[in-house]
Amino acid sequence: MSDGRRIADHKKRRAFFLRHLYQWHWISSGLCLIGMLLFAATGITLNHAGQIEAAPSVVMHDGQLPPPLQDALKSQPAAAKAPLPAEIDAWLRREMGVSVTARDTEWSAKDVYVALPRPGGDAWLSIERDSGAVSYEVTDRGWIAYLNDLHKGRHTGRSWSWFLDLFAAAAMIFCLTGLLLLQLHAGKRPATWPVVGLGLVIPLLVAVLFIHR
């Protein structure tokens, strides 16, 4: 094979590699761009959580189970962690706007307690077994607390957990393809590796010199 042919093949392979590298880079950046902005902003709010005042809003809802549902509740064992009967769950969704499906339920001789943690707040529901009185309390700590809990994946459910994994994978592809692109263009940009090195050295020095001092 002639030198000209080898050079042409090399250029063709390089062009093919660069084309796919740029494609993976822009696709991954597009997928994780909004998420990275969210996580960067909530990183600041989490870092200054002590300085950000929150005024939780607490709302209490009261209800009363109809007699047939009271009988269904009384018939359940006193010491069980089983879910509430389906007809009671349906009534709670219809009358009080809350679903207890797949929630951990604590039964006692006196009442049934359901913890309903949520991003940016908290909630719980209690039903007295004798009277059928329903108490449902919702605490809302505001949108900053909500976004902070999204950042931490706190009480966000399985779907958000899957999203976090996919977002992390896209962010890793974005960073790795960006690193490869930096390597390809570093010869024309002498400051490339010193700047990348600072991204490692600065947090390392802060961690070693100032944390737990």
Side-chain angles (χ1 to χ4, degrees):
M1 182 182 295
S2 65
D3 291 343
R5 180 67 179 273
R6 280 197 295 268
I7 293 173
D9 288 343
H10 174 74
K11 289 182 177 179
K12 188 179 297 185
R13 286 194 300 269
R14 178 182 172 85
F16 177 83
F17 176 72
L18 279 174
R19 184 169 66 253
H20 283 79
L21 187 61
Y22 276 113
Q23 189 172 34
W24 278 101
H25 188 66
W26 79 258
I27 290 175
S28 60
S29 68
L31 289 173
C32 65
L33 177 62
I34 303 302
M36 290 182 74
L37 289 172
L38 170 66
F39 276 77
T42 50
I44 295 173
T45 56
L46 283 168
N47 197 39
H48 297 276
Q51 288 99 5
I52 299 175
E53 295 184 3
S57 170
V58 181
V59 179
M60 192 75 184
H61 305 273
D62 295 317
Q64 179 66 46
L65 285 180
L69 296 184
Q70 293 182 40
D71 295 337
L73 192 66
K74 291 177 182 178
S75 66
Q76 296 291 319
K81 287 187 175 293
L84 283 166
E87 60 268 27
I88 296 180
D89 185 17
W91 183 88
L92 289 170
R93 286 200 304 270
R94 184 176 63 253
E95 300 296 330
M96 306 195 73
V98 57
S99 174
V100 296
T101 303
R103 296 284 190 168
D104 290 335
T105 305
E106 298 179 12
W107 294 72
S108 70
K110 179 182 177 183
D111 61 11
V112 182
Y113 177 85
V114 185
L116 301 165
R118 49 193 279 170
D122 200 1
W124 58 267
L125 181 140
S126 176
I127 307 175
E128 293 183 7
R129 300 189 70 183
D130 289 336
S131 65
V134 181
S135 299
Y136 173 46
E137 182 181 284
V138 181
T139 302
D140 186 352
R141 298 187 177 89
W143 65 271
I144 292 180
Y146 179 81
L147 293 177
N148 286 346
D149 283 346
L150 291 185
H151 183 117
K152 295 183 289 186
R154 178 178 179 269
H155 305 313
T156 51
R158 183 172 298 176
S159 296
W160 185 257
S161 177
W162 289 344
F163 164 75
L164 290 180
D165 289 340
L166 291 174
F167 165 75
M172 289 176 65
I173 293 172
F174 171 67
C175 293
L176 290 173
T177 53
L179 191 63
L180 287 173
L181 288 171
L182 285 175
Q183 193 273 332
L184 290 172
H185 297 291
K188 300 177 182 178
R189 300 167 184 172
T192 297
W193 296 123
V195 172
V196 173
L198 283 176
L200 170 66
V201 172
I202 291 175
L204 185 62
L205 287 177
V206 172
V208 170
L209 297 178
F210 299 106
I211 295 179
H212 302 305
R213 290 283 179 172

